[in-house]
Coordinates of all heavy atoms in Angstrom, one line a residue:
H10 N 7.7 -6.2 7.9 CA 7.6 -5.5 6.5 C 8.3 -6.4 5.5 O 8.9 -7.4 5.7 CB 8.2 -4.1 6.6 CG 9.7 -4.1 6.2 ND1 10.7 -4.8 7.0 CD2 10.3 -3.5 5.2 CE1 11.8 -4.6 6.4 NE2 11.7 -3.8 5.4
Y11 N 8.1 -5.9 4.2 CA 8.7 -6.4 3.1 C 9.1 -5.2 2.2 O 8.4 -4.3 2.1 CB 7.8 -7.3 2.3 CG 8.2 -7.8 0.9 CD1 9.0 -8.9 0.8 CD2 8.0 -7.0 -0.2 CE1 9.5 -9.3 -0.5 CE2 8.4 -7.4 -1.5 CZ 9.2 -8.5 -1.6 OH 9.6 -8.9 -2.8
S12 N 10.3 -5.3 1.6 CA 10.7 -4.2 0.7 C 11.6 -4.7 -0.4 O 12.5 -5.4 -0.1 CB 11.3 -3.0 1.5 OG 11.7 -2.0 0.6
Q13 N 11.4 -4.2 -1.6 CA 12.3 -4.7 -2.7 C 13.4 -3.7 -2.8 O 14.6 -4.1 -2.9 CB 11.5 -4.7 -4.0 CG 10.5 -5.8 -4.1 CD 10.1 -6.1 -5.5 OE1 9.6 -5.2 -6.2 NE2 10.4 -7.2 -6.1
S14 N 13.2 -2.4 -2.9 CA 14.2 -1.4 -3.1 C 14.9 -1.0 -1.8 O 16.0 -0.4 -1.9 CB 13.6 -0.2 -3.8 OG 12.8 0.4 -2.8
G15 N 14.3 -1.3 -0.7 CA 14.8 -0.8 0.6 C 14.1 0.5 1.0 O 14.3 1.0 2.1
Q16 N 13.2 1.0 0.2 CA 12.6 2.3 0.5 C 11.7 2.1 1.8 O 11.9 2.9 2.7 CB 11.7 2.8 -0.6 CG 10.9 4.0 -0.3 CD 10.0 4.5 -1.4 OE1 10.4 5.3 -2.2 NE2 8.7 4.1 -1.4
L17 N 10.9 1.1 1.8 CA 10.1 0.9 3.0 C 10.9 0.5 4.3 O 10.6 1.0 5.4 CB 9.0 -0.2 2.7 CG 7.9 -0.3 3.7 CD1 7.1 1.0 3.9 CD2 6.9 -1.4 3.2
S18 N 12.0 -0.2 4.0 CA 12.9 -0.5 5.2 C 13.4 0.8 5.8 O 13.5 0.9 7.0 CB 14.1 -1.4 4.7 OG 13.7 -2.4 3.9
E19 N 13.9 1.7 4.9 CA 14.4 3.0 5.4 C 13.4 3.8 6.1 O 13.7 4.4 7.2 CB 15.0 3.8 4.2 CG 16.0 4.8 4.6 CD 16.5 5.7 3.5 OE1 16.3 5.3 2.3 OE2 17.2 6.7 3.7
I20 N 12.1 3.8 5.6 CA 11.1 4.5 6.3 C 10.9 4.0 7.7 O 10.8 4.7 8.7 CB 9.7 4.4 5.4 CG1 9.8 5.2 4.1 CG2 8.5 4.9 6.3 CD1 8.7 4.9 3.1
F47 N 10.4 -12.2 -5.9 CA 10.0 -11.4 -7.0 C 11.3 -10.7 -7.5 O 12.1 -10.3 -6.7 CB 8.9 -10.4 -6.7 CG 7.6 -11.0 -6.5 CD1 7.2 -11.3 -5.2 CD2 6.8 -11.3 -7.5 CE1 5.9 -11.9 -5.0 CE2 5.5 -11.9 -7.4 CZ 5.1 -12.2 -6.1
P48 N 11.4 -10.5 -8.9 CA 12.6 -9.9 -9.4 C 12.6 -8.4 -9.0 O 11.6 -7.7 -9.0 CB 12.4 -10.0 -10.9 CG 11.0 -10.2 -11.2 CD 10.4 -10.8 -9.9
F49 N 13.8 -7.9 -8.8 CA 14.0 -6.5 -8.7 C 15.4 -6.1 -9.1 O 16.4 -6.7 -8.6 CB 13.8 -6.0 -7.2 CG 13.8 -4.5 -7.2 CD1 12.7 -3.8 -7.6 CD2 14.9 -3.7 -6.8 CE1 12.7 -2.4 -7.6 CE2 14.9 -2.3 -6.8 CZ 13.8 -1.7 -7.1
W51 N 12.5 -5.2 -12.0 CA 11.5 -6.0 -12.7 C 11.8 -6.0 -14.2 O 12.3 -5.0 -14.7 CB 10.1 -5.4 -12.5 CG 9.6 -5.5 -11.1 CD1 9.9 -4.7 -10.1 CD2 8.6 -6.4 -10.6 NE1 9.2 -5.0 -9.0 CE2 8.4 -6.1 -9.3 CE3 7.9 -7.5 -11.2 CZ2 7.5 -6.8 -8.5 CZ3 7.0 -8.2 -10.4 CH2 6.8 -7.9 -9.0
D55 N 7.5 -9.5 -16.3 CA 7.2 -9.9 -14.9 C 6.3 -8.9 -14.2 O 5.5 -9.2 -13.4 CB 8.5 -10.0 -14.2 CG 9.2 -11.3 -14.5 OD1 8.5 -12.3 -15.0 OD2 10.5 -11.4 -14.4
F56 N 6.6 -7.6 -14.5 CA 5.8 -6.5 -13.8 C 4.3 -6.6 -14.2 O 3.5 -6.6 -13.3 CB 6.4 -5.2 -14.3 CG 5.9 -4.0 -13.6 CD1 6.4 -3.6 -12.3 CD2 4.8 -3.2 -14.1 CE1 5.9 -2.5 -11.6 CE2 4.3 -2.1 -13.4 CZ 4.9 -1.8 -12.1
L57 N 4.1 -6.9 -15.4 CA 2.7 -7.1 -15.9 C 2.1 -8.4 -15.3 O 0.9 -8.5 -14.9 CB 2.6 -7.1 -17.4 CG 2.4 -5.9 -18.2 CD1 2.3 -6.2 -19.6 CD2 1.1 -5.2 -17.7
D58 N 2.9 -9.4 -15.4 CA 2.5 -10.7 -15.0 C 2.0 -10.8 -13.5 O 1.2 -11.7 -13.1 CB 3.6 -11.7 -15.2 CG 3.1 -13.1 -15.2 OD1 2.3 -13.4 -16.1 OD2 3.6 -14.0 -14.4
A59 N 2.5 -9.8 -12.7 CA 2.2 -9.8 -11.3 C 0.7 -9.3 -11.1 O 0.2 -9.3 -10.0 CB 3.2 -9.0 -10.5
F60 N 0.2 -8.7 -12.2 CA -1.1 -8.0 -12.0 C -2.3 -8.9 -11.5 O -2.9 -8.6 -10.4 CB -1.5 -7.3 -13.3 CG -3.0 -7.0 -13.3 CD1 -3.5 -6.1 -12.4 CD2 -3.8 -7.6 -14.3 CE1 -4.9 -5.8 -12.5 CE2 -5.2 -7.3 -14.3 CZ -5.7 -6.4 -13.4
S63 N -1.8 -10.2 -7.9 CA -1.8 -9.1 -6.9 C -3.2 -8.7 -6.7 O -3.7 -8.6 -5.5 CB -1.0 -7.9 -7.4 OG 0.3 -8.2 -7.7
Y90 N 3.8 -1.9 4.5 CA 3.5 -2.6 3.3 C 3.5 -1.6 2.1 O 3.3 -0.4 2.3 CB 2.2 -3.4 3.3 CG 0.9 -2.6 3.2 CD1 0.2 -2.4 2.0 CD2 0.2 -2.0 4.3 CE1 -1.0 -1.8 1.9 CE2 -1.0 -1.3 4.2 CZ -1.6 -1.2 3.0 OH -2.8 -0.5 2.9
Q91 N 3.6 -2.2 0.9 CA 3.5 -1.4 -0.3 C 2.3 -1.9 -1.1 O 1.9 -3.0 -0.9 CB 4.8 -1.5 -1.2 CG 5.2 -2.9 -1.6 CD 5.8 -3.6 -0.4 OE1 5.1 -4.4 0.2 NE2 7.1 -3.4 -0.1
V92 N 1.9 -1.0 -2.0 CA 0.7 -1.4 -2.8 C 1.2 -1.9 -4.2 O 2.1 -1.3 -4.8 CB -0.1 -0.1 -3.1 CG1 -1.4 -0.4 -3.9 CG2 -0.5 0.5 -1.7
W93 N 0.6 -3.0 -4.6 CA 0.8 -3.5 -6.0 C -0.5 -3.6 -6.6 O -1.4 -4.3 -6.1 CB 1.5 -4.9 -5.9 CG 2.9 -5.0 -5.5 CD1 3.7 -3.9 -5.1 CD2 3.8 -6.1 -5.5 NE1 5.0 -4.3 -4.9 CE2 5.0 -5.7 -5.1 CE3 3.6 -7.5 -5.8 CZ2 6.1 -6.6 -4.9 CZ3 4.6 -8.4 -5.6 CH2 5.9 -7.9 -5.2
Y94 N -0.7 -2.9 -7.7 CA -2.0 -2.9 -8.5 C -3.2 -2.7 -7.6 O -4.1 -3.5 -7.5 CB -2.1 -4.2 -9.3 CG -1.1 -4.3 -10.4 CD1 0.0 -5.2 -10.3 CD2 -1.2 -3.6 -11.5 CE1 1.0 -5.3 -11.3 CE2 -0.3 -3.6 -12.5 CZ 0.8 -4.5 -12.4 OH 1.7 -4.6 -13.4
L95 N -3.1 -1.6 -6.8 CA -4.2 -1.1 -6.0 C -4.6 -2.1 -4.9 O -5.7 -2.1 -4.4 CB -5.5 -0.8 -6.9 CG -5.3 0.0 -8.1 CD1 -6.6 0.2 -8.9 CD2 -4.7 1.4 -7.8
S96 N -3.7 -3.0 -4.5 CA -3.9 -4.0 -3.5 C -2.7 -4.1 -2.6 O -1.6 -3.8 -3.1 CB -4.2 -5.4 -4.2 OG -5.2 -5.2 -5.2
S98 N 0.6 -5.6 -1.4 CA 1.5 -6.4 -2.3 C 1.4 -7.9 -2.0 O 1.0 -8.3 -0.9 CB 2.9 -6.0 -2.1 OG 3.3 -6.3 -0.8
P100 N 3.5 -10.2 -1.2 CA 4.2 -10.7 0.0 C 3.4 -10.4 1.3 O 3.3 -11.3 2.2 CB 5.5 -10.0 0.0 CG 5.8 -9.7 -1.4 CD 4.5 -9.4 -2.0
I123 N 2.3 2.7 5.1 CA 2.3 2.5 3.6 C 3.4 3.3 3.0 O 3.5 4.5 3.2 CB 1.0 2.8 3.0 CG1 -0.2 2.1 3.7 CG2 0.9 2.6 1.5 CD1 -1.6 2.5 3.3
G124 N 4.2 2.7 2.1 CA 5.2 3.5 1.3 C 4.9 3.1 -0.2 O 5.2 2.0 -0.6
C125 N 4.2 4.0 -0.9 CA 3.8 3.6 -2.3 C 3.9 4.8 -3.2 O 4.4 5.9 -2.8 CB 2.4 3.1 -2.3 SG 1.2 4.3 -1.9
R126 N 3.4 4.7 -4.4 CA 3.4 5.8 -5.4 C 2.4 6.9 -4.9 O 2.8 7.9 -4.5 CB 3.1 5.3 -6.8 CG 3.2 6.3 -7.9 CD 3.0 5.8 -9.2 NE 1.6 5.4 -9.5 CZ 0.6 6.2 -9.8 NH1 0.9 7.4 -10.0 NH2 -0.6 5.7 -10.0
N127 N 1.1 6.6 -5.0 CA 0.1 7.6 -4.5 C -1.3 7.0 -4.4 O -2.2 7.6 -3.9 CB 0.1 8.9 -5.3 CG -0.4 8.7 -6.7 OD1 -0.9 7.7 -7.1 ND2 -0.2 9.7 -7.5
M128 N -1.4 5.7 -4.9 CA -2.8 5.2 -5.0 C -2.9 4.0 -4.0 O -2.6 2.9 -4.4 CB -3.1 4.8 -6.5 CG -4.5 5.0 -6.8 SD -4.8 5.1 -8.5 CE -4.4 6.8 -8.9
W129 N -3.4 4.3 -2.8 CA -3.3 3.3 -1.8 C -4.7 3.1 -1.0 O -4.8 2.2 -0.2 CB -2.3 3.8 -0.7 CG -2.6 5.1 -0.2 CD1 -2.2 6.3 -0.7 CD2 -3.5 5.5 0.9 NE1 -2.7 7.4 0.0 CE2 -3.5 6.9 1.0 CE3 -4.2 4.7 1.9 CZ2 -4.3 7.5 2.0 CZ3 -5.0 5.4 2.8 CH2 -5.0 6.8 2.9
V130 N -5.7 4.0 -1.3 CA -6.9 4.1 -0.5 C -7.6 2.8 -0.5 O -8.0 2.2 0.6 CB -7.7 5.3 -1.0 CG1 -9.2 5.1 -0.5 CG2 -7.2 6.6 -0.4
A132 N -6.4 -0.2 -1.4 CA -5.6 -1.2 -0.9 C -5.7 -1.3 0.6 O -5.8 -2.3 1.3 CB -4.1 -1.0 -1.3
L153 N 3.2 7.3 3.3 CA 4.2 8.1 2.6 C 4.1 7.8 1.1 O 4.2 6.7 0.7 CB 5.6 7.8 3.2 CG 5.9 8.5 4.5 CD1 5.3 7.9 5.7 CD2 7.4 8.6 4.7
V154 N 3.9 8.9 0.4 CA 3.7 8.7 -1.1 C 4.7 9.7 -1.9 O 5.3 10.5 -1.3 CB 2.3 9.1 -1.5 CG1 1.3 8.1 -0.9 CG2 1.9 10.5 -1.2
D155 N 4.7 9.4 -3.2 CA 5.4 10.3 -4.1 C 4.4 11.6 -4.2 O 3.3 11.4 -4.7 CB 5.5 9.6 -5.5 CG 6.3 10.5 -6.5 OD1 6.3 11.7 -6.3 OD2 6.9 9.9 -7.4
N159 N 0.4 13.1 -10.5 CA 0.2 11.7 -10.8 C 0.9 11.2 -12.1 O 1.6 10.2 -12.0 CB -1.4 11.5 -11.0 CG -1.7 10.0 -11.0 OD1 -1.1 9.2 -10.3 ND2 -2.7 9.6 -11.9
S162 N 4.6 10.9 -11.6 CA 5.0 9.8 -10.7 C 4.8 8.4 -11.4 O 5.6 7.5 -11.2 CB 4.2 9.8 -9.4 OG 2.9 9.5 -9.6
I166 N 8.1 6.2 -11.6 CA 8.2 4.9 -10.9 C 8.4 3.7 -11.8 O 9.1 2.8 -11.4 CB 6.9 4.7 -10.0 CG1 7.2 3.7 -8.9 CG2 5.7 4.1 -10.8 CD1 6.5 3.9 -7.6
W169 N 12.0 3.5 -12.4 CA 12.7 3.0 -11.2 C 12.5 1.5 -11.1 O 13.5 0.8 -10.8 CB 12.1 3.7 -10.0 CG 12.6 3.3 -8.6 CD1 13.8 2.7 -8.3 CD2 11.9 3.4 -7.4 NE1 13.9 2.5 -7.0 CE2 12.7 2.9 -6.4 CE3 10.7 3.9 -7.0 CZ2 12.4 2.9 -5.0 CZ3 10.3 3.9 -5.7 CH2 11.1 3.4 -4.7
M170 N 11.3 1.0 -11.2 CA 11.0 -0.4 -11.0 C 11.7 -1.2 -12.1 O 12.2 -2.3 -11.8 CB 9.5 -0.7 -11.1 CG 8.7 -0.1 -10.0 SD 9.1 -0.8 -8.4 CE 10.0 0.5 -7.6
K175 N 17.0 4.3 -8.0 CA 16.1 5.5 -7.7 C 16.8 6.8 -8.0 O 17.5 7.4 -7.1 CB 15.8 5.4 -6.2 CG 14.6 6.2 -5.8 CD 14.3 6.1 -4.3 CE 13.1 6.9 -3.9 NZ 12.8 6.8 -2.5
G186 N 9.4 7.9 -6.3 CA 9.0 7.4 -5.0 C 8.9 8.5 -3.9 O 8.7 9.7 -4.2
V187 N 8.9 8.0 -2.7 CA 8.8 8.9 -1.5 C 10.1 9.8 -1.4 O 11.2 9.3 -1.6 CB 8.6 8.1 -0.2 CG1 8.5 9.0 1.0 CG2 7.4 7.1 -0.3
D234 N -8.9 5.6 -8.0 CA -8.7 4.3 -7.4 C -9.9 3.5 -7.4 O -9.9 2.3 -7.7 CB -8.2 4.6 -5.9 CG -7.5 3.5 -5.3 OD1 -7.7 2.3 -5.7 OD2 -6.8 3.7 -4.3
F241 N -10.1 -3.1 -13.1 CA -9.1 -4.1 -12.8 C -9.7 -5.4 -12.4 O -9.2 -6.5 -12.8 CB -8.2 -3.6 -11.6 CG -7.1 -2.7 -12.0 CD1 -7.1 -2.0 -13.2 CD2 -6.0 -2.6 -11.2 CE1 -6.1 -1.1 -13.5 CE2 -4.9 -1.8 -11.5 CZ -5.0 -1.0 -12.7
Ligands
LIG427 C1 4.1 -4.6 -9.5 C2 3.9 -3.2 -8.8 C3 2.7 -2.6 -8.8 C4 2.6 -1.4 -8.1 N1 1.3 -0.8 -8.0 C5 1.1 0.4 -7.3 C6 -0.2 0.9 -7.1 O1 -1.2 0.4 -7.6 N2 -0.3 2.0 -6.4 C7 0.8 2.7 -5.8 O2 0.6 3.7 -5.2 N3 2.1 2.2 -6.0 C8 2.2 1.0 -6.7 N4 3.5 0.5 -6.8 C9 4.7 1.1 -6.1 C10 4.9 0.4 -4.8 O3 3.8 0.6 -3.9 C11 6.2 0.8 -4.0 O4 6.1 2.2 -3.8 C12 7.4 0.5 -4.7 O5 7.3 -0.8 -5.3 C13 8.6 0.6 -3.8 O6 8.4 -0.3 -2.7 P1 9.6 -1.1 -2.0 O7 9.8 -0.6 -0.6 O8 9.1 -2.6 -2.0 O9 10.8 -1.0 -2.9 C14 3.7 -0.7 -7.5 C15 4.9 -1.4 -7.6 C16 5.0 -2.6 -8.2 C17 6.4 -3.3 -8.2

Side-chain angles (χ1 to χ4, degrees):
H10 92 296
Y11 170 87
S12 179
Q13 288 199 299
S14 67
Q16 175 179 270
L17 193 54
S18 316
E19 200 183 348
I20 290 170
F47 285 97
F49 190 77
W51 294 80
D55 282 335
F56 190 82
L57 266 181
D58 199 56
F60 161 64
S63 297
Y90 79 94
Q91 57 286 97
V92 180
W93 286 3
Y94 293 106
L95 313 178
S96 310
S98 67
I123 305 173
C125 69
R126 187 176 68 82
N127 65 14
M128 215 160 275
W129 57 271
V130 161
L153 277 79
V154 296
D155 184 335
N159 192 36
S162 71
I166 201 147
W169 176 26
M170 293 296 109
K175 195 178 184 183
V187 178
D234 197 338
F241 274 24

